[in-house]
Amino acid sequence: MYNLTISHNNKPVDEYILRQEIVTIGRGGENDIQLIDTTVSQRHAQFLVSADSLFIIDMDSTNGTYVNGQRITRHRLKNGDQVMIGQHQLSFDDLDPSEEVDEQEPTLQMSRNTIEQMLFHSQNKQGSSSPPPDSNKAINWVAQDQNGVWWGFEQQPVPDSAGWANFQDTMKLKLKQESPNPGWRETLHKV
């Protein structure tokens, strides 16, 4: 297994553990990993994952796939390699299965009503006498991912392979865990 970190403007924006044999990446929503970037092709590249190697293959993309500054068509990746797809930097680390850490549980679980009440009271303490408008809320969108985790977002997220991508430099907050939801893409709504 491999840990993939995606950065934009040198700021990490997402992280994945590559477990599948083939993982696609591109601008289109049908990809396992979606990059919202006009310089990324609809189906830009794919990763071939095995127990002892990780390859990246460019899928005849318009702007190319680069590893350590060199345009490639197929390349075996190693720890520390830097991949550029569009304006996104991708870095990899080989995960030892014995060191894999389960996703952390949220430190705080709240209902939607509790969040709205907290936001309302927070604004009132600052001198406001009415509920804050949606544009001033810290959490404006909520959605559940495929694994049943509810997330709060400052800006509207976009779906990726199993959850929601938040590529702007804005807040994403894990709210609570429920059972996995195959209809998770329909859960996005404005608070």
Side-chain angles (χ1 to χ4, degrees), residues 9-69:
N9 293 329
N10 295 318
K11 294 180 185 173
V13 293
D14 221 335
E15 193 168 307
Y16 295 89
I17 295 178
L18 303 179
R19 300 171 196 237
Q20 298 168 218
E21 218 173 277
I22 297 174
V23 178
T24 60
I25 186 166
R27 192 175 69 239
E30 72 282 354
N31 290 288
D32 298 310
I33 300 172
Q34 184 180 24
L35 297 178
I36 307 299
D37 178 345
T38 57
T39 62
V40 173
S41 295
Q42 286 291 320
R43 191 166 166 91
H44 197 100
Q46 68 181 14
F47 299 104
L48 300 180
V49 182
S50 70
D52 62 346
S53 65
L54 175 64
F55 283 86
I56 187 165
I57 299 170
D58 184 85
M59 303 299 292
D60 295 322
S61 65
T62 303
N63 294 318
T65 301
Y66 294 81
V67 176
N68 301 325

Side-chain angles (χ1 to χ4, degrees), residues 141-153 157-165 172-189:
W141 295 86
V142 293
Q144 189 178 31
D145 67 17
Q146 179 179 2
N147 297 320
V149 177
W150 280 95
W151 295 92
F153 301 92
V158 293
D160 66 15
S161 62
W164 299 93
K172 176 180 177 182
L173 176 67
K174 187 174 182 179
L175 303 175
K176 68 178 183 176
Q177 174 75 49
E178 291 182 349
S179 9
N181 180 0
W184 62 273
R185 291 180 193 262
E186 286 79 42
T187 63
L188 177 66
H189 60 277

Side-chain angles (χ1 to χ4, degrees), residues 138 140-141 152-158 165-166 168-171 188:
N140 294 307
W141 295 86
F153 301 92
E154 185 177 7
Q155 299 290 326
Q156 183 176 3
V158 293
N166 189 24
Q168 300 91 4
D169 189 19
T170 60
M171 184 179 75
L188 177 66

Side-chain angles (χ1 to χ4, degrees), residues 108 110 113-124:
L108 178 63
M110 297 179 277
N113 285 342
T114 303
I115 293 168
E116 288 175 354
Q117 288 173 356
M118 286 175 59
L119 292 170
F120 176 109
H121 291 298
S122 169
Q123 285 289 348
N124 281 342

Side-chain angles (χ1 to χ4, degrees), residues 68-88:
N68 301 325
Q70 299 295 314
R71 189 169 183 158
I72 57 94
T73 54
R74 179 183 174 104
H75 185 84
R76 183 178 183 161
L77 295 167
K78 59 187 180 302
N79 283 348
D81 278 348
Q82 294 295 309
V83 175
M84 285 293 295
I85 294 181
Q87 299 175 9
H88 291 82

